[in-house]
Amino acid sequence: MGSIPDPGELTELTPPSFDEFQRQTSLMTSCTLLWKELSDHFSSLEQNLLQKSEALRNKIQTLDNQTKASLSELEKREFSIQGSIQIALEKVESSKVTALAALQKASDDEENGEVDNGEGLLLTLKSFCFKMDALGFWRFVTGKKKELDALRAQMPLALAECIDPPRFVLESISEVFPVDKRVEKSERVNDLGWACVLVLESLIPVVVDPVIGKSRLLVTPSVKERAKEIADTWKASLEERGGIENVKTPDVHTFLQHLVTFGIVKEEDVELYRKLVVGSAWRKQMPKLAVSLGLGDKMPDMIEELISRGQQLDAVHFTYEVGLVDKFRPVPLLKAFLKDARKAAASILEDPNNLGRAAQLAGRKEQSALRAVIKCIEEYKLEAEFPPENLKKRLEQLEKSKTEKRKPVAVPANKRTRANNGGPMPPAKAGRLTNAYVSSFPAAPTMVRSPSHVQYPAGIPSYHSPPTIYGSRSPPANPYAYSPEGAPPPLPGSYPVAPMTYPAYGGYGNGIPPAYHAYYR
């Protein structure tokens, strides 16, 4: 057996190994890194838990605040019902005193035809509203298109006198909306969308609750249900109208205004509303209607679509309505719109089908674009970014060029003819004075062409038969087409004849629609 070493006895120590030292060092480093990783992990978990806890606490607080606000709003609405009813009763009581007098005065004005001033117009409208004569009201309004501004100012005051304004409005426009029921139609009065929109817009301030405002509309459930049925009927008739692409803009405007006025916008129909708004985006009220229809979050995509379709000017109006000016800069859009208009004008000049009127059509296209852009610059105060001086100069040049083309060209008159055999008639004898000349031809009247008829200046009677200057022959069918080449040669020894001049043809409307639609008002 080996002997056990004495602890007190000195023994030789084993020298430390460098490899062992490195192993221990590596182990310590790994432990340190692992400890740090675990510490960071737990710290991250703790931070996430704190953030989630804070978010939940904020949500709970927000829900509590919303609940309190909703309860407060409900309580306010409940108490406001009595106040609204009291206001309505007081209004009826005050109206009862003046109703008979107003009806009598309006009746007298109708008999005398005195409805040309604002007061007479208001009394006439009120008379229809007092009697709930929706059909008479509608016929009166549609016959007063020339007094549109006066109607817009007076109609809300008149509708406020109705017993049930929403029902009255639905009955008044039922002749043409949702389906046109008229038997006899004419091109002149076929479009009554302006009247529908006017009546629907005028109803909004009438149905707004006088206590809590626009958050509650004073529309009875039965009338609101009827309004929903009308909207569904209009949507069902879209296929008969040729789909969304072919439906008329006045009909679209009336439908969208109907939804906003009666507060019957449906969330499931938002895509339909978007397509209708984009298709009629040139209407002035469309940006505001789009916001009222709940399309605010879709506005960026709608603006992009308008830009891609070449409707940069409409995109600018939508941009300002929703406050996206920083994302869609208006000045580059307006410049792009002008560039497209110039390209369109150039393509018109190159069109072989419009050689005779190409210059006129191209000029009108560019003029319309220039006027629209100048108006937009002034409306949104963009003069600093896009000075309109050059645009105005270009517009003046186009207008001056158009005026010069319309200057009358001197054309020799037809020779006088004898009444018996149609032979040439010598001119009347000249005066006895030296160098005096008296023409036997009467002065030619100034002929101004208008879209419907020829007008003569005052002092010159209209001829019911060929004028004497033509002798026994009828006047030429187209006096504007007369040219010097068509005139017979002068007779030897004849006296000089004063030439007759005709204004250049250009006053007659050619029926070509303008390049940029005027916004409906």
Side-chain angles (χ1 to χ4, degrees):
M1 293 181 62
S3 61
I4 300 175
D6 186 2
E9 183 181 359
L10 293 176
T11 59
E12 186 179 357
L13 297 176
T14 304
S17 172
F18 184 74
D19 293 337
E20 180 67 18
F21 176 76
Q22 284 186 332
R23 189 182 67 79
Q24 294 293 335
T25 303
S26 176
L27 181 61
M28 290 294 296
T29 303
S30 299
C31 290
T32 303
L33 292 175
L34 181 61
W35 173 261
K36 187 176 185 306
E37 183 178 353
L38 291 173
S39 177
D40 293 343
H41 177 67
F42 283 110
S43 297
S44 176
L45 290 177
E46 185 178 3
Q47 290 296 326
N48 289 338
L49 289 175
L50 289 175
Q51 291 176 1
K52 291 181 178 180
S53 177
E54 185 66 22
L56 288 174
R57 190 180 300 108
N58 292 336
K59 287 184 177 180
I60 293 173
Q61 184 65 32
T62 301
L63 289 174
D64 289 341
N65 294 336
Q66 290 179 351
T67 302
K68 292 179 180 179
S70 298
L71 291 175
S72 176
E73 181 68 20
L74 289 174
E75 185 178 359
K76 181 180 177 181
R77 291 170 68 90
E78 182 179 359
F79 284 109
S80 66
I81 292 176
Q82 296 297 328
S84 300
I85 293 176
Q86 185 63 30
I87 292 174
L89 291 175
E90 292 175 356
K91 186 177 179 180
V92 170
E93 190 66 25
S94 62
S95 299
K96 185 169 62 175
V97 179
T98 58
L100 293 176
L103 283 172
Q104 183 63 37
K105 185 174 182 180
S107 178
D108 295 341
D109 289 342
E110 275 190 324
E111 293 176 0
N112 300 328
E114 299 177 356
V115 292
D116 54 342
N117 56 6
E119 183 181 359
L121 182 65
L122 176 60
L123 291 176
T124 304
L125 292 173
K126 282 186 175 182
S127 68
F128 291 116
C129 295
F130 283 140
K131 296 180 290 187
M132 290 294 286
D133 184 3
L135 182 59
F137 175 84
W138 174 253
R139 290 176 178 173
F140 177 79
V141 170
T142 54
K144 294 289 182 180
K145 188 175 183 179
K146 294 182 179 180
E147 303 178 28
L148 190 59
D149 292 336
L151 284 174
R152 183 175 287 108
Q154 304 293 353
M155 192 172 293
L157 302 176
L159 291 176
E161 305 298 334
C162 293
I163 298 175
D164 191 349
R167 185 183 299 278
F168 181 80
V169 167
L170 288 181
E171 291 176 356
S172 65
I173 66 176
S174 62
E175 187 177 7
V176 295
F177 183 78
V179 180
D180 197 339
K181 303 175 184 176
R182 292 175 294 169
V183 178
E184 298 181 359
K185 302 178 185 179
S186 64
E187 293 295 332
R188 188 174 64 86
V189 295
N190 192 31
D191 177 19
L192 294 179
W194 66 270
C196 294
V197 173
L198 173 63
V199 175
L200 289 169
E201 286 180 342
S202 300
L203 179 63
I204 293 179
V206 179
V207 297
V208 168
D209 191 282
V211 177
I212 63 176
K214 296 181 179 179
S215 61
R216 180 169 65 197
L217 301 178
L218 301 179
V219 181
T220 60
S222 60
V223 174
K224 180 171 286 192
E225 191 62 30
R226 174 58 181 156
K228 292 179 181 178
E229 294 175 0
I230 290 175
D232 293 338
T233 302
W234 189 90
K235 288 189 297 182
S237 66
L238 275 178
E239 295 300 327
E240 300 176 2
R241 301 167 185 258
I244 297 176
E245 295 78 10
N246 297 319
V247 67
K248 296 180 180 179
T249 297
D251 295 339
V252 172
H253 195 172
T254 302
F255 171 68
L256 298 179
Q257 188 63 57
H258 173 79
L259 298 176
V260 173
T261 298
F262 289 95
I264 53 175
V265 176
K266 293 184 179 180
E267 187 175 352
E268 58 269 22
D269 290 338
V270 168
E271 185 61 24
L272 171 65
Y273 306 154
R274 188 193 69 80
K275 293 179 180 179
L276 292 174
V277 168
V278 171
S280 303
W282 57 271
R283 286 262 175 153
K284 187 175 182 179
Q285 295 94 332
M286 281 299 157
K288 292 185 180 296
L289 279 177
V291 175
S292 300
L293 291 167
L295 299 176
D297 57 338
K298 297 183 179 292
M299 277 294 189
D301 296 335
M302 294 169 63
I303 294 173
E304 291 282 3
E305 184 174 354
L306 290 174
I307 295 173
S308 65
R309 295 171 62 168
Q311 297 177 242
Q312 297 92 339
L313 194 65
D314 300 327
V316 171
H317 292 294
F318 277 77
T319 298
Y320 274 94
E321 182 63 31
V322 294
L324 294 176
V325 181
D326 295 335
K327 184 175 181 180
F328 301 96
R329 302 301 301 172
V331 172
L333 293 177
L334 295 177
K335 292 182 178 179
F337 177 75
L338 286 176
K339 185 177 179 181
D340 292 346
R342 295 190 188 101
K343 289 182 179 179
S347 64
I348 292 176
L349 291 174
E350 298 172 358
D351 187 1
N353 298 325
N354 290 322
L355 293 179
R357 300 167 58 195
Q360 180 185 2
L361 295 177
R364 290 179 60 186
K365 177 76 174 178
E366 189 174 353
Q367 286 180 41
S368 178
L370 287 170
R371 290 192 186 98
V373 171
I374 292 172
K375 182 178 179 181
C376 188
I377 292 174
E378 294 174 351
E379 181 178 356
Y380 297 117
K381 311 299 181 184
L382 298 174
E383 290 85 355
E385 301 179 52
F386 194 2
E389 285 74 18
N390 293 334
L391 302 181
K392 293 180 180 179
K393 289 180 181 178
R394 175 57 179 166
L395 182 60
E396 291 176 358
Q397 291 176 357
L398 292 173
E399 292 176 347
K400 183 178 180 181
S401 175
K402 184 177 180 181
T403 304
E404 290 177 351
K405 290 179 180 179
R406 289 183 176 179
K407 285 184 178 180
V409 180
V411 180
N414 281 337
K415 299 299 181 180
R416 300 177 66 206
T417 56
R418 294 184 183 274
N420 53 358
N421 57 7
M425 176 181 289
K429 293 183 179 180
R432 300 299 181 185
L433 297 177
T434 306
N435 296 331
Y437 167 72
V438 179
S439 174
S440 61
F441 289 81
T446 303
M447 306 177 72
V448 181
R449 191 70 177 239
S450 69
S452 58
H453 58 279
V454 178
Q455 295 178 349
Y456 294 87
I460 299 178
S462 58
Y463 292 100
H464 300 285
S465 61
T468 57
I469 62 172
Y470 297 103
S472 60
R473 292 184 296 177
S474 299
N478 186 4
Y480 302 99
Y482 184 77
S483 62
E485 290 76 10
L491 295 175
S494 61
Y495 289 90
V497 180
M500 294 178 61
T501 59
Y502 295 92
Y505 179 79
Y508 185 79
N510 52 27
I512 302 299
Y516 184 77
H517 301 279
Y519 283 92
Y520 182 88
R521 180 69 182 163

